[in-house]
Amino acid sequence: MDSVDVEHCRNTAVKLARTAGEVIKNAWSKKKSIQTKLSQVDLVTETDVEVEKLLRSGFKEIYPDHRFIGEESSSAGEETQFSDEPTWIIDPVDGTMNFVHSFPYVAISIALTVNKEVVVGVVYNPILDQMYTAVKEKGAFLNDTSIHVTSKQELSDALLALEVGSGRDEKKMESVFTNLKTFIPICHGIRSMGSAALNMCHVASGGVDAYFESGIHCWDMAAGDIIIREAGGVVLHPSGGPFDLMARGVLCASSQKLAVSVSEKVNYINYERD
Ligand code: LIP
């Protein structure tokens, strides 16, 4: 990590996220060209592809030696190669379903890993102009304001976020319904933003107290991981074990006690690793 200037990387990511945000805003009210991926509700638009290309070439120009993992390149068949080398992990439009419906919760999610640890995270919602950033050991911010998780410890007064996700198979549906049945009666309320990155940023900034989802990918949760940890929160695997970027699931919360309470009750699915 000695050779990586993390502040410079954060500034570059913020700049590129703003440029990418303009592409999303320009496409916002126009007719979108939509294709499906692994299911009828797993969508990709030409904007997802355009933004990923823009980010990829932008980072390549400035950091030619850095590696790259992107949602749309992976969907197009590129193998995920996660190594100790500096690696940009990117979701060009997190919340593609929201984008398609012009529901204003979409984000560009950008993370930099070094030695497999996330050291920079940037999540930008261009529609609401909300820029979440974090650099290792430097805190987490929403625009220029420092953010912190809540101090919630108890499930009984916690607001939880969860997602239905982009699969509709029986196992997934059963898991979602089981979780709704388990958590609705014992917490304050349930929310679903349609974007893993933004759910995580809302835990970091205190809007919700915990969030879990299984079936998502490293690009959905990499930036959120450091933003929550730098905001004082806890990021685990839904089993309650250590967070693993490639393990397709996340459970994050404002406190260790709350994270453990959720992990003891949550129903999650183990998906094939990224
Ligand atoms: C989405 C996630 C969301 C999840 C969806 C999907 P995308 O990412 O952020 O939390 O429930 O299944 O994976 O596909 O919009 O980048």
Side-chain angles (χ1 to χ4, degrees):
M1 161 141 175
D2 291 347
S3 58
V4 178
D5 178 345
V6 283
E7 303 274 355
H8 189 272
C9 289
R10 188 264 321 271
N11 294 343
T12 304
V14 166
K15 218 168 142 188
L16 285 172
R18 286 202 189 281
T19 308
E22 288 304 312
V23 175
I24 293 175
K25 279 199 284 184
N26 283 337
W28 189 247
S29 48
K30 295 187 184 143
K31 189 170 165 24
K32 287 133 185 159
S33 107
I34 306 158
Q35 289 186 309
T36 56
K37 297 194 280 186
L38 295 177
S39 80
Q40 283 305 103
V41 291
D42 187 11
L43 308 180
V44 58
T45 69
E46 55 193 1
T47 304
D48 297 62
V49 176
E50 185 184 345
V51 169
E52 182 155 322
K53 277 190 187 144
L54 181 153
L55 294 172
R56 190 178 187 133
S57 62
F59 284 117
K60 201 83 210 148
E61 202 179 310
I62 300 171
Y63 310 111
D65 298 335
H66 289 188
R67 306 224 174 148
F68 191 90
I69 297 172
E71 175 174 21
E72 304 316 333
S73 318
S74 299
S75 298
E78 192 173 287
E79 207 184 315
T80 303
Q81 285 187 344
F82 191 41
S83 70
D84 286 344
E85 298 301 315
T87 303
W88 293 97
I89 302 183
I90 285 166
D91 190 337
V93 183
D94 190 47
T96 302
M97 181 63 83
N98 290 344
F99 174 68
V100 164
H101 290 269
S102 299
F103 182 69
Y105 283 85
V106 298
I108 298 142
S109 177
I110 302 173
L112 176 69
T113 62
V114 178
N115 296 325
K116 298 199 176 81
E117 181 194 10
V118 185
V119 292
V120 174
V122 169
V123 173
Y124 181 48
N125 179 341
I127 309 305
L128 303 179
D129 193 24
Q130 292 178 332
M131 179 76 74
Y132 295 88
T133 59
V135 169
K136 188 180 174 186
E137 288 163 12
K138 294 280 174 4
F141 297 84
L142 165 54
N143 297 332
D144 290 326
T145 306
S146 172
I147 53 172
H148 295 278
V149 296
T150 64
S151 52
K152 289 283 160 61
Q153 304 277 329
E154 306 298 331
L155 247 175
S156 55
D157 61 355
L159 188 60
L160 303 189
L162 56 78
E163 291 291 337
V164 177
S166 53
R168 294 292 182 271
D169 54 281
E170 216 178 307
K171 201 172 167 192
K172 177 71 180 176
M173 289 296 88
E174 206 175 305
S175 175
V176 170
F177 294 141
T178 301
N179 283 325
L180 288 171
K181 221 171 158 182
T182 303
F183 288 102
I184 288 173
I186 57 170
C187 71
H188 249 181
I190 303 274
R191 298 291 180 267
S192 205
M193 245 80 69
S195 154
L198 288 175
N199 285 327
M200 294 179 85
C201 288
H202 283 282
V203 173
S205 55
V208 294
D209 305 299
Y211 157 62
F212 59 80
E213 184 167 0
S214 54
I216 51 175
H217 294 270
C218 57
W219 44 80
D220 296 307
M221 51 189 180
D225 168 43
I226 188 166
I227 292 171
I228 291 183
R229 287 187 287 106
E230 288 296 322
V234 176
V235 185
L236 302 174
H237 181 265
S239 61
F243 179 62
D244 176 344
L245 203 46
M246 296 295 146
R248 308 278 313 273
V250 71
L251 188 173
C252 49
S254 54
S255 66
Q256 181 72 24
K257 186 175 176 201
L258 184 57
V260 170
S261 303
V262 175
S263 77
E264 283 168 354
K265 295 185 163 48
V266 74
N267 181 288
Y268 66 93
I269 301 170
N270 275 316
Y271 288 86
E272 193 182 328
R273 292 173 66 78
D274 276 326

